[in-house]
Amino acid sequence: MAMIVKNNMSAASALNTLNRNSTDLSKQLQRLSSGMRINNAADDASGYAISERMRAQIRGVSQNLKNTQTARSLMNTAEGAVSSTVEILKTFKEKALDAANDTNTDRDRTIIQREIDQLIAQIDDNAHVTYNGKYLLNGSMGGNMPSDEHGVVVDFMSYLDNANLSAQEALDGAINYASGGLFANENDLISKFLADMSSGDLQGVTGINLSNADTGAITGLDAGGEKEKNAVSIVSEDGNPYTGGVPSGTTYINGLTVTWPDTGSDSAKQAIAKALNNQWLSLCTDLIQESYELNFTDPGTTVRSMTVNLDAVMDPSTLALVKSTYNTVTGETIGLELQVNMDYYGNLDLSDENGAVAGDQNQLYLDRCIAHEMVHALMAANITHFADLPKYIKEGAAELVHGIDDYRKSKIEAMVSDQAKLKNALENSETAPDDDAYAAGYMILRYMAHQAANSEPEKCMSFQIGTKANQAIKIGFGDMCSTALGLKKEDGTTLSVETQKKATSAISVIDRAIAKALNQQTTIGAIQSRLEFTAENIITAHENVTASESTIRDADMAQTFTAYTKANVLMQTAQAMLAQANKNSSSVLSLLQ
């Protein structure tokens, strides 16, 4: 072995080995003290990146669990308020049934009314429940909650009735409100209706069934009601309406003062006047009250009198007509006149209580015509700017109240297969043929009711329950205020049970309110159930992702201790060998002795 002093290669080699062992020992000490195999990117670059992404996901999942828990708290708050409202409505039903019983006097009903008024105020308090400063059930989180097809149309009419807006603004608002935000405005309703009708599935899209005996009245079986409404039963006379004396002067019928014409010796005119006075006007206004909650007794009604004219009309195709006189400044109706075309109904079959024309197999019963025209009268008397509403809305609503799909079956079928005609009847209804506007209006209102009744309110609230931007539960809370439930009008008038007749009418209103509240409660319950499953899923995901990240990043302590012991022994050995290598170089000095 050469004796070299300038470069001690053995010492240099031992020093390098010592440095490596020292670095390895330091790394093992860091792993043992931190418990992690990867402490920085230099330890394992790809593993470090994967681990950091997983850590970001773990923190996100932890926040999602918190979000889910707070969302459940919010839903519990809303559910508690709605449950209270449902309990109040049960009490309402009980009180209304009590008030409808004639063992009570009107004084007793007044006492019942006081309790109902207080409970209505409590419903409004429930609707203004908040969570973290957010109002949940006052309509700001989703708008209206439709109950059923009938309820959708009642809400539509209620909005038009109460809105102090232009005709177009009121119509757009009514469509949006009644559909729970499903349709934004008139244009949106028409475009979606035409798009859906392109499938040709009339019953699936609108709920109109042309193959059964039901007329498709909004209170009938086809629209979700409990009874079949056909041409004979839609205005359900109680015996022969042509009896009694011929009315003269004025009479008072369901809040309406009716002025009668001089019928002379004309037996047909006398019979029609008797039927109108005895049953038809009261039955038709009752039908419209049931269907739309429109009447002549509301404080906002602008006209409560009507003149009857039994004569020939200018247009021979017009069977009956309500002419309205308007205040051109305010848009309010100030006069009503009911005209019956005696050229058509002059040959009345007095053995038929519905107002059939003798010898005419295709006639339209006069009682149904009166029902149609009284819709116009009541809408005009209650809806500001009624005259400016589109023709298809006015005629469609009048058709819908008594159902007309039996009489216009062929027209409806033709329009289903002719999209251009259907579109024209809606977009240009003022110039479209009358039958087109009538049929198209009936179809689109049934469509709105059918679609909205199977929808949820506009989803205005979002619960972030995932780590990606689109992983959220979106919901909407319906308006649970007393006005939205139909228990109070915008002018402050509350549901009344102060007479036996009002109490009887209130029962159906309360039933619709209960259906709305229960719809809202079941929607909340479904979300609560979903959030429970979501929380369980998040907890499982957190466990699994944490386990995966641990596999990548955490140190195997037994293996690390072994590596540490090895590095420690090697370091001590390297130190000893370095000392020996340095000692070997000093032997050169012996040559100088």
Side-chain angles (χ1 to χ4, degrees):
M1 169 177 152
M3 306 215 31
I4 301 170
V5 295
K6 184 177 181 182
N7 293 295
N8 189 343
M9 298 309 299
S10 296
S13 177
L15 178 61
N16 287 338
T17 301
L18 176 62
N19 288 335
R20 286 196 300 272
N21 290 339
S22 178
T23 301
D24 189 26
L25 179 63
S26 177
K27 184 177 294 185
Q28 300 308 324
L29 280 170
Q30 186 182 31
R31 288 175 176 174
L32 288 171
S33 62
S34 67
M36 295 189 297
R37 183 181 68 86
I38 303 173
N39 288 283
N40 51 59
D43 292 338
D44 182 348
S46 61
Y48 181 83
I50 294 171
S51 173
E52 286 297 305
R53 282 199 298 271
M54 284 187 170
R55 286 190 171 188
Q57 184 177 0
I58 290 168
R59 291 179 65 175
V61 169
S62 297
Q63 184 58 50
N64 289 337
L65 182 58
K66 295 177 184 177
N67 289 353
T68 302
Q69 291 167 340
T70 54
R72 290 169 68 180
S73 297
L74 183 148
M75 298 303 295
N76 290 341
T77 302
E79 200 274 336
V82 177
S83 293
S84 175
T85 295
V86 171
E87 289 302 315
I88 291 172
L89 290 171
K90 290 177 186 176
T91 303
F92 272 18
K93 182 69 176 286
E94 181 182 12
K95 297 299 181 183
L97 291 171
D98 183 15
N101 188 5
D102 255 341
T103 57
N104 291 301
T105 65
D106 284 349
R107 178 175 295 180
D108 297 328
R109 296 185 179 103
T110 300
I111 296 172
I112 295 172
Q113 182 67 44
R114 291 174 187 167
E115 183 177 357
I116 285 179
D117 289 343
Q118 289 300 317
L119 292 175
I120 287 176
Q122 183 57 48
I123 285 177
D124 285 332
D125 289 343
N126 292 347
H128 287 84
V129 66
T130 62
Y131 183 89
N132 194 27
K134 289 178 177 286
Y135 287 98
L136 302 182
L137 301 168
N138 68 345
S140 60
M141 288 294 172
N144 188 38
M145 169 64 82
S147 55
D148 52 24
E149 293 190 30
H150 184 193
V152 172
V153 177
V154 171
D155 290 337
F156 176 76
M157 285 295 180
S158 175
Y159 192 99
L160 289 176
D161 182 3
N162 291 308
N164 187 22
L165 303 168
S166 69
Q168 187 60 55
E169 289 172 335
L171 178 59
D172 288 340
I175 290 170
N176 181 265
Y177 174 75
S179 68
L182 182 63
F183 307 110
N185 49 43
E186 181 192 13
N187 289 335
D188 187 40
L189 173 63
I190 291 175
S191 63
K192 289 179 178 177
F193 171 63
L194 293 173
D196 288 347
M197 282 304 301
S198 63
S199 67
D201 182 11
L202 177 68
Q203 187 168 348
V205 171
T206 67
I208 297 173
N209 184 355
L210 295 176
S211 63
N212 64 8
D214 196 278
T215 62
I218 196 60
T219 54
L221 282 177
D222 278 3
E226 297 179 354
K227 295 181 180 179
E228 176 186 281
K229 297 295 179 73
N230 55 45
V232 172
S233 69
I234 191 70
V235 181
S236 51
E237 288 85 357
D238 182 16
N240 186 350
Y242 309 113
T243 60
V246 179
S248 61
T250 60
T251 58
Y252 187 75
I253 302 173
N254 285 357
L256 179 68
T257 300
V258 182
T259 301
W260 299 100
D262 181 6
T263 56
S265 59
D266 191 316
S267 59
K269 290 183 179 181
Q270 291 177 352
I272 292 174
K274 291 178 185 179
L276 286 170
N277 187 52
N278 290 337
Q279 295 194 45
W280 285 348
L281 284 178
S282 62
L283 290 174
C284 289
T285 51
D286 285 344
L287 172 65
I288 299 164
Q289 166 67 29
E290 177 191 2
S291 301
Y292 297 148
E293 294 185 15
L294 294 176
N295 54 61
F296 286 109
T297 60
D298 281 348
T301 304
T302 59
V303 58
R304 296 184 175 87
S305 60
M306 182 179 72
T307 301
V308 175
N309 180 12
L310 305 176
D311 210 339
V313 296
M314 295 295 292
D315 184 353
S317 66
T318 300
L319 306 185
L321 172 69
V322 164
K323 293 179 64 177
S324 303
T325 306
Y326 300 97
N327 182 320
T328 56
V329 177
T330 64
E332 296 176 344
T333 302
I334 55 176
L336 296 171
E337 179 185 355
L338 171 64
Q339 298 180 349
V340 177
N341 187 352
M342 296 306 297
D343 279 349
Y344 185 83
Y345 287 109
N347 187 26
L348 208 63
D349 182 358
L350 299 183
S351 66
D352 188 300
E353 61 191 24
N354 300 291
V357 176
D360 188 345
Q361 298 297 319
N362 298 314
Q363 47 72 37
L364 185 63
Y365 293 129
L366 181 53
D367 61 358
R368 292 179 78 184
C369 287
I370 299 302
H372 179 107
E373 293 305 320
M374 289 308 295
V375 172
H376 293 324
L378 277 160
M379 289 179 71
N382 286 278
I383 299 172
T384 305
H385 302 298
F386 167 74
D388 297 327
L389 289 174
K391 184 177 182 179
Y392 77 88
I393 291 292
K394 292 186 285 190
E395 300 300 345
E399 299 282 59
L400 193 63
V401 75
H402 59 95
I404 202 67
D405 57 16
D406 58 333
Y407 189 74
R408 301 193 190 279
K409 179 179 178 180
S410 58
K411 172 62 69 173
I412 292 171
E413 289 173 333
M415 297 191 82
V416 170
S417 59
D418 191 341
Q419 283 275 302
K421 179 174 285 190
L422 183 58
K423 182 178 181 181
N424 180 66
L426 296 172
E427 295 181 349
N428 305 293
S429 63
E430 298 304 319
T431 57
D434 280 349
D435 279 358
D436 287 1
Y438 284 45
Y442 171 79
M443 291 166 68
I444 198 169
L445 289 178
R446 280 294 306 272
Y447 167 79
M448 180 183 72
H450 186 68
Q451 295 295 324
N454 295 288
S455 70
E456 295 180 2
E458 185 180 2
K459 296 179 177 180
C460 294
M461 183 171 284
S462 179
F463 298 144
Q464 183 66 36
I465 49 86
T467 57
K468 302 296 182 183
N470 59 349
Q471 292 178 312
I473 296 177
K474 295 184 177 180
I475 66 164
F477 293 116
D479 190 344
M480 289 290 108
C481 292
S482 58
T483 51
L485 294 175
L487 306 174
K488 184 168 71 174
K489 291 188 175 294
E490 294 291 341
D491 60 11
T493 305
T494 58
L495 182 73
S496 176
V497 296
E498 293 180 308
T499 66
Q500 195 276 338
K501 186 171 184 179
K502 288 181 178 179
T504 301
S505 299
I507 293 172
S508 59
V509 176
I510 294 168
D511 285 340
R512 281 194 293 273
I514 291 173
K516 282 188 179 185
L518 289 177
N519 272 4
Q520 179 66 93
Q521 193 171 31
T522 53
T523 298
I524 292 173
I527 296 296
Q528 287 175 311
S529 178
R530 181 178 175 184
L531 287 171
E532 289 179 9
F533 286 110
T534 298
E536 293 175 5
N537 182 53
I538 290 173
I539 291 170
T540 301
H542 186 277
E543 291 176 356
N544 291 333
V545 176
T546 301
S548 298
E549 196 272 340
S550 175
T551 301
I552 296 171
R553 197 153 188 168
D554 288 355
D556 183 332
M557 298 303 286
Q559 183 181 26
T560 304
F561 266 116
T562 301
Y564 166 76
T565 302
K566 174 185 174 183
N568 192 26
V569 171
L570 288 175
M571 181 175 166
Q572 293 179 44
T573 302
Q575 286 175 334
M577 291 306 101
L578 177 60
Q580 187 63 43
N582 287 333
K583 184 178 180 182
N584 287 342
S585 296
S586 65
S587 64
V588 176
L589 295 174
S590 63
L591 297 175
L592 300 176
Q593 295 177 354

